[in-house]
């Protein structure tokens, strides 16, 4: 076997242990270490980083990574890849010129981008990659993690629901199938539809984009017709646009009244760079029957798709369980990490030229939110 030494002269890609109560993913997996080494990139992994995703330090070493202390990874890497963006405190100890790759929140948090800039770091924001570009498909973290989210949302809902999802005929009687409503039929929503159908539920879905109707129906779900003309709800690049106040109010009233027919509601609606729209108001929640379950994948401390939802589980006075669950991909850590690691690695590999980190002027430069040091190839 020919030993692969190409990584020894190339840049070093470092990954930290990001485990917390809400996070089990890791930004590099042993398989991806091997892939990066073949691309001339060495890997430095903090000891214990893979534990949450069931990878041991030994697995990384066998794949050719060096396992090191947190401080050694922070100071010894040319590029640091993240599941969640690093805190400002951590950035203080990162050497100038280091590339920071991850979901940086750059659409909504200019202060964070300024903080990277002030520290002389290079920021590659995964959220700003041009997703529709064919060469960027394997780098699309939103697609990979939202698919995992949609899948897990159904499992979480099924777990909290007090009955079966499938129809069941037994000697003691017939159990009717659960009726599931999915609001927002993008990547996460379509995955939720497929998963709920596979579990035997009767699924209905709604999205503001007209194009989603055929996708919903092709998965065997019914499209919820709200009787509103929001056909112009599609904005740039195939994404939803923000609705006007009047449109939003009409949509909420229609969703609220229709939601009462369902046992489980899963919401996944987002608009890039904006706070997620409220689709189901408190009035809609109070109209749901006792025992209904709502999983709000768009929930954050600032609110989500369901009025009154926040991160965690609440049970309303009328016996409805609302689960605010933005961290669902972490609940499927092995797969979520494998997909995420590949997304990050393909971005990193794109910027390595002749064993150095360099950018060229192309479409992927959209993701470079901070370029304080001169990182562009001369003459291009
Ligand atoms: P997202 O996570 O930004 O939003 C999720 C869904 O919420 C979207 O379908 C959006 O239309 C919907 N939504 C927003 N506001 C709504 C409202 N008020 N009411 C109902 N629904 C609302 O989006 P996403 O899942 O990442 O993808 C959105 C679109 O982009 C899809 O058409 C997807 O196929 C497309 N996409 C294409 C590529 C590609 O070409 N490679 C990659 C990723 C996504």
């Amino acid at each position: 076997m020919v030993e692969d030494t190409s990584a020894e002269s190339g840049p070093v890609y470092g990954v930290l242990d990001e485990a917390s109560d809400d996070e089990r993913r890791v930004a590099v997996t042993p398989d991806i270490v091997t892939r990066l080494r073949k691309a001339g990139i060495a890997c430095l992994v903090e000891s214990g980083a893979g534990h949450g995703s069931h990878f041991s330090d030994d697995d990384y070493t066998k794949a050719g990574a060096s396992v090191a202390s947190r401080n050694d990874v922070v100071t010894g890497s040319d590029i640091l890849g993240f599941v969640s963006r690093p805190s400002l405190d951590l950035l203080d100890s990162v050497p100038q010129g280091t590339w920071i790759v991850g979901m940086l929140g750059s659409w909504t948090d200019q202060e964070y981008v300024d903080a990277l800039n002030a520290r002389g770091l290079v920021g590659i924001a995964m959220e700003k990659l041009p997703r529709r570009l064919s060469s960027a498909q394997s780098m699309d973290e939103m697609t990979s993690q939202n698919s995992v989210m949609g899948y897990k949302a159904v499992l979480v809902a099924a777990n909290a629901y007090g009955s079966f999802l499938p129809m069941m005929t037994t000697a003691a009687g017939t159990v009717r199938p659960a009726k599931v409503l999915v609001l927002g039929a993008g990547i996460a929503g379509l995955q939720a539809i497929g998963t709920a159908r596979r579990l035997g539920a009767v699924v209905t879905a709604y999205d503001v984009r007209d194009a989603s109707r055929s996708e919903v129906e092709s998965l065997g779900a019914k499209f919820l017709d709200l009787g509103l003309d929001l056909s112009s709800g599609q904005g740039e690049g195939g994404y939803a646009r923000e609705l006007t106040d009047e449109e939003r109010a009409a949509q909420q009233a229609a969703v609220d009244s229709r939601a009462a027919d369902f046992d489980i509601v899963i919401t996944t609606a987002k608009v890039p760079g904006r706070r997620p729209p409220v689709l189901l108001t408190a009035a809609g929640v109070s109209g749901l029957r006792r025992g209904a379950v709502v999983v709000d994948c768009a929930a954050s401390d600032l609110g989500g798709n369901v009025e009154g939802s926040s991160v965690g589980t609440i049970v309303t006075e009328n016996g409805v369980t609302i689960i605010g669950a933005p961290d669902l991909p972490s609940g499927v850590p092995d797969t979520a990490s494998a997909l995420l690691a590949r997304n990050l690695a393909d971005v990193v590999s794109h910027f390595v030229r002749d064993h150095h980190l360099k950018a060229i002027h192309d479409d992927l430069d959209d993701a470079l939110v901070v370029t304080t040091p001169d990182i562009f190839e001369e003459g291009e």
Side-chain angles (χ1 to χ4, degrees):
M1 197 173 78
V2 180
E3 202 188 333
D4 169 24
T5 53
S6 54
E8 278 156 27
S9 54
V12 177
Y13 179 56
V15 160
L16 296 172
D17 179 4
E18 295 185 59
S20 70
D21 288 349
D22 303 319
E23 190 55 78
R24 291 172 60 193
R25 291 172 294 171
V26 60
V28 78
T29 59
D31 279 355
I32 295 298
V33 168
T34 308
R35 186 180 179 87
L36 283 165
R37 279 178 58 78
K38 284 188 184 143
I41 300 163
C43 291
L44 198 51
V45 180
E46 182 180 352
S47 178
H51 285 175
S53 300
H54 307 102
F55 301 115
S56 67
D57 286 354
D58 210 27
D59 293 333
Y60 285 103
T61 312
K62 281 188 187 136
S66 303
V67 173
S69 70
R70 187 173 188 81
N71 187 53
D72 285 352
V73 176
V74 171
T75 55
S77 302
D78 302 297
I79 320 151
L80 288 168
F82 290 93
V83 175
S84 306
R85 68 181 194 180
S87 68
L88 296 182
D89 278 352
L90 177 57
L91 289 181
D92 282 338
S93 48
V94 175
Q96 204 170 354
T98 305
W99 292 45
I100 306 290
V101 190
M103 295 288 262
L104 300 182
S106 61
W107 290 113
T108 46
D109 193 351
Q110 184 57 39
E111 272 180 40
Y112 188 83
V113 174
D114 293 343
L116 289 168
N117 213 349
R119 288 163 176 78
L121 301 168
V122 177
I124 304 184
M126 296 295 279
E127 69 274 14
K128 285 221 167 135
L129 286 166
R131 301 170 77 191
R132 285 177 183 264
L133 200 69
S134 59
S135 58
Q137 305 281 295
S138 67
M139 307 174 185
D140 188 356
E141 176 174 341
M142 284 180 282
T143 291
S144 78
Q145 302 305 290
N146 285 351
S147 313
V148 180
M149 171 182 273
Y151 164 81
K152 187 69 175 177
V154 175
L155 302 188
V156 165
N159 218 18
Y161 183 55
S163 186
F164 287 146
L165 264 66
M167 187 177 96
M168 201 80 80
T169 306
T170 77
T174 299
V175 181
R176 70 166 177 83
K179 289 197 226 166
V180 173
L181 175 63
V182 176
L183 297 172
I187 305 295
L190 293 175
Q191 193 59 247
I193 293 168
T195 307
R197 291 258 307 142
R198 287 191 288 274
L199 283 175
V202 175
V203 186
T204 302
Y206 168 72
D207 196 289
V208 75
R209 290 179 298 106
D210 248 5
S212 69
R213 178 187 288 267
S214 57
E215 291 167 347
V216 165
E217 289 172 349
S218 74
L219 288 173
K222 210 170 129 193
F223 192 81
L224 182 71
D225 198 342
L226 293 183
L228 300 171
D229 181 14
L230 299 175
S231 51
S232 56
Q234 178 149 329
E236 268 177 49
Y239 289 109
R241 67 167 168 84
E242 199 173 30
L243 300 182
T244 64
D245 290 349
E246 293 76 32
E247 288 171 331
R248 192 177 313 121
Q251 190 188 58
Q252 287 169 348
V255 169
D256 282 354
S257 70
R258 303 295 296 278
D261 294 337
F262 295 90
D263 305 301
I264 292 175
V265 182
I266 294 172
T267 69
T268 70
K270 291 182 192 153
V271 179
R274 307 256 173 201
R275 279 174 65 164
V278 171
L279 301 184
L280 187 68
T281 71
V285 171
S286 66
L288 296 177
R289 68 168 189 79
R290 188 167 284 277
V293 175
V294 180
V295 176
D296 184 354
C297 298
S300 77
D301 293 334
L302 299 171
N305 291 147
V306 180
E307 192 177 359
S309 80
S310 58
V311 180
T313 301
I314 47 176
V315 180
T316 65
E317 275 175 18
N318 61 321
V320 173
T321 302
I322 305 178
I323 303 171
D327 302 315
L328 290 173
S330 166
V332 193
D334 303 15
T335 301
S337 297
L339 300 174
L340 170 61
R342 170 72 193 269
N343 300 146
L344 291 166
D346 281 13
V347 172
V348 169
S349 305
H350 172 83
F351 288 103
V352 173
R353 306 176 196 288
D354 302 329
H355 299 291
H356 293 291
L357 282 164
K358 282 281 179 192
I360 55 169
H361 290 285
D362 69 11
D363 291 332
L364 294 190
D365 292 349
D366 288 355
L368 286 161
V369 288
V370 182
T371 57
T372 310
D374 180 15
I375 57 162
F376 285 92
E377 296 251 320
E378 274 177 37
E380 292 202 53

